Amino acid sequence: MSIASAAVDDQFRALPLAALTDAALTAARAAGAEYADLRVHRLLTQSIRLRDGRVESIDNADDLGFAVRVIVDGTWGFASHCELTPATAVAVAQRAVTVAATLRALNRERVELAGEPVYRDATWVSPYQVDPFTVPTPEKVALLQDYSQRLSSAAGIDHVTASVLQVKEQTYYADTAGSTITQQRVRLHPQLEAITVDAATGGFETMRTLAAPAGRGWEYVTGADGVWDWNQELARMPQWLAEKVAAPSVTPGPTDLVIDPTNLWLTIHESIGHATEYDRAIGYESAYAGTSFATPDKLGTLRYGTPIMHVIGDRTQEYGLATVGYDDEGVAGQRWDLVRDGILVGYQLDRVFAPRLGVPRSNGCSYADSAHHVPIQRMANVSLQPDPESDTSTAELISRVEDGIYIVGDRSWSIDMQRYNFQFTGQRFFRIRNGELAGQLRDVAYQATTTEFWGAMEAVGGPSTWVLGGAFNCGKAQPGQVAAVSHGCPSVLVRGVNILNTRQEAG
């Protein structure tokens, strides 16, 4: 992992972190807690949205608070507050102990935490060059206006929307074992969409940029880091959109697909990422988006996909949205296998679920999106690995297809409550004939079950095709929490996937 040149902001370090730690943890122990941790959480956010070059909204928020979590007689207690004073910390710790004592009668299973080394005075900062919160808002608006104008000036473009979401997250963690950890990470998501309207029918079609949300700084939006070629994409989008509007409707049925990473990341997120969350797999989490077909009795035996399928969970991926130095239980970031040789071999865990699975250590998947929410098991960066032996290109995968479709970019999706039956659409669909691209198609969705789809994956691209995609706001739990997560993957070739014609399906 790259070492960031930035440091944790002085403003956050100036908070009374040591005093809060001493007050809260001492009070929790005195009140009878066998374990306690303190988490100070600050979340800076800014959202800028434009339509046709005019500002629609600029929203800024700065949320700061702290939480105390305790274990009393094997039962969790939790309390939080926004006033950062030692006296309040004492009261919050005592309230957390009272909550635990009250809930003890309802607890069916004692809380046992997996062990973790102590990290004293640890600091971690995500790698970025330009903190977006140091860039003047008018400068950000001007850049989005420039990008918008490039699209709106092209023939056939009737409207353009532009937005950038930015987050700076700062946390301080301390526990009764002795860990004290301070972290800061930055993430953002820039996006533009071009819209063309059929004046005669009132119908419309859209084309969106494909730059993924990323754990990067403002240099990603300007293109100064060379990661995303905004100039090229904005120049080509009007033509892609015109071709999409004129494209023939797809013929449904089994079809060979080459799927670009800009589309496949979402399939990974829904059919693997959520399915391998251990709380879903055991039915602990079911109210928000369901459970999982990949239950623990299948660990080590479930044929998830073909033998070339290798999927990892990773809290250390450079620029990943779910990348941290340490999670919200003080567990250091790690990388581990979820699917190896096509077989389910692992889950995403926190310190409570690791012992229940029978493993000695959490893999660091605990996160809360606010000081006022309890940390829960959240998704790591879950990624499909490229071909380790050959740098197979996307063009080479396409050359292996006689009659099929190349899918680029994500759009809408649907998946059942066990992460098993799904369908996905995309931004662009190119017909493949005799190993070459032959114009666009429209009204395309691919449908399968999770094991059918991954079991039909014949080839994965090499490292040069691997791209890090992701979701900026993945929802889970009740009360609802959001988390950002990345998914890297290469291009893939999947044989005989059922294609739906969305226009026909809609009647």
Side-chain angles (χ1 to χ4, degrees):
M1 183 184 300
S2 294
I3 298 175
S5 58
V8 177
D9 292 352
D10 290 340
Q11 185 182 19
F12 185 75
R13 286 192 173 277
L15 296 173
L17 304 175
L20 292 172
T21 299
D22 182 63
L25 300 187
T26 300
R29 286 194 193 96
E34 59 245 39
Y35 168 86
D37 59 44
L38 165 80
R39 179 171 48 88
V40 180
H41 191 140
R42 185 187 189 196
L43 196 70
L44 285 164
T45 61
Q46 184 183 60
S47 168
I48 302 175
R49 298 182 184 276
L50 280 67
R51 180 175 174 82
D52 295 332
R54 295 185 295 273
V55 174
E56 277 198 327
S57 64
I58 299 176
D59 298 314
N60 297 282
D62 186 350
D63 296 322
L64 174 64
F66 76 96
V68 177
R69 201 174 59 150
V70 302
I71 299 175
V72 178
D73 195 19
T75 302
W76 280 122
F78 175 86
S80 66
H81 208 282
C82 58
E83 183 181 272
L84 274 63
T85 66
T88 303
V90 169
V92 168
Q94 292 171 341
R95 187 163 70 249
V97 170
T98 299
V99 169
T102 302
L103 294 177
R104 177 65 188 91
L106 302 176
N107 188 18
R108 298 180 181 179
E109 191 169 5
R110 286 184 60 87
V111 173
E112 301 289 346
L113 297 183
E116 182 68 14
V118 172
Y119 307 100
R120 289 187 172 87
D121 300 322
T123 300
W124 181 86
V125 181
S126 67
Y128 57 89
Q129 297 173 26
V130 180
D131 180 347
F133 292 90
T134 66
V135 179
T137 297
E139 184 176 326
K140 299 174 185 177
V141 170
L143 180 62
L144 293 180
Q145 288 175 326
D146 173 53
Y147 286 173
S148 297
Q149 193 277 331
R150 298 190 206 181
L151 289 173
S152 62
S153 63
I157 304 300
D158 295 296
H159 299 287
V160 176
T161 62
S163 64
V164 60
L165 309 178
Q166 306 144 84
V167 173
K168 178 158 64 176
E169 190 168 22
Q170 299 164 323
T171 58
Y172 170 80
Y173 171 90
D175 61 31
T176 48
S179 287
T180 50
I181 301 165
T182 308
Q183 300 187 91
Q184 177 170 297
R185 56 181 177 147
V186 165
R187 56 186 179 270
L188 44 72
H189 187 195
Q191 184 172 279
L192 288 96
E193 185 173 60
I195 304 164
T196 184
V197 179
D198 186 329
T201 66
F204 67 93
E205 191 55 86
T206 65
M207 185 69 65
R208 178 165 45 79
T209 52
L210 301 182
R216 297 179 181 271
W218 190 249
E219 67 279 358
Y220 181 55
V221 188
T222 64
D225 58 2
V227 172
W228 196 258
D229 192 337
W230 293 97
N231 293 330
Q232 182 184 73
E233 183 174 35
L234 294 173
R236 299 185 67 181
M237 277 176 62
Q239 181 61 35
W240 281 328
L241 181 54
E243 292 172 358
K244 184 177 182 180
V245 170
S249 192
V250 71
T251 300
T255 305
D256 295 342
L257 304 179
V258 175
I259 305 179
D260 193 79
T262 55
N263 179 273
L264 189 65
W265 75 263
L266 183 56
T267 310
I268 292 169
H269 178 85
E270 298 294 344
S271 69
I272 306 173
H274 279 307
T276 57
E277 292 177 304
Y278 188 70
D279 57 350
R280 291 190 191 278
I282 63 174
Y284 186 91
E285 165 70 21
S286 59
Y288 197 136
T291 57
S292 172
F293 77 97
T295 50
D297 59 301
K298 301 172 184 174
L299 187 65
T301 61
L302 174 65
R303 171 59 67 181
Y304 220 108
T306 55
I308 61 173
M309 184 182 185
H310 180 199
V311 179
I312 63 168
D314 192 351
R315 295 283 266 171
T316 68
Q317 171 65 51
E318 190 170 41
Y319 305 114
L321 294 168
T323 297
V324 293
Y326 309 85
D327 77 350
D328 282 355
E329 293 183 324
V331 178
Q334 300 160 52
R335 171 186 168 115
W336 68 98
D337 287 340
L338 293 169
V339 178
R340 185 176 60 246
D341 300 327
I343 302 296
L344 174 69
V345 296
Y347 288 101
Q348 302 166 71
L349 305 165
D350 62 16
R351 291 183 69 180
V352 172
F353 290 128
R356 295 182 185 181
L357 183 61
V359 298
R361 187 187 182 200
S362 163
N363 45 39
C365 292
S366 177
Y367 173 73
D369 67 356
S370 162
H372 308 298
H373 284 157
V374 177
I376 59 174
Q377 187 268 299
R378 291 310 308 258
M379 198 183 300
N381 304 304
V382 173
S383 298
L384 175 67
Q385 299 305 285
D387 187 336
E389 299 178 356
S390 174
D391 194 11
T392 305
S393 67
T394 302
E396 185 175 341
L397 295 178
I398 291 171
S399 73
R400 301 179 189 179
V401 177
E402 182 176 340
D403 189 2
I405 301 173
Y406 172 46
I407 302 177
V408 178
D410 67 275
R411 198 169 186 180
S412 64
W413 76 96
S414 175
I415 193 165
D416 71 8
M417 297 294 280
Q418 288 205 310
R419 328 308 297 182
Y420 194 62
N421 293 282
F422 63 67
Q423 67 180 48
F424 292 88
T425 63
Q427 288 290 314
R428 299 190 288 274
F429 307 92
F430 295 91
R431 177 77 179 270
I432 303 173
R433 281 185 173 172
N434 300 318
E436 296 183 350
L437 299 184
Q440 288 194 51
L441 296 167
R442 60 184 303 170
D443 309 322
V444 180
Y446 60 94
Q447 182 273 330
T449 68
T450 294
T451 51
E452 285 174 350
F453 178 83
W454 296 108
M457 185 170 66
E458 180 180 290
V460 296
S464 65
T465 73
W466 196 90
V467 175
L468 194 64
F472 207 70
N473 292 302
C474 172
K476 187 177 180 180
Q478 290 182 336
Q481 297 193 40
V482 296
V485 57
S486 291
H487 303 287
C489 55
S491 297
V492 300
L493 169 57
V494 189
R495 297 287 189 184
V497 179
N498 188 41
I499 290 295
L500 304 176
N501 183 301
T502 57
R503 187 178 298 270
Q504 293 176 7
E505 293 291 324

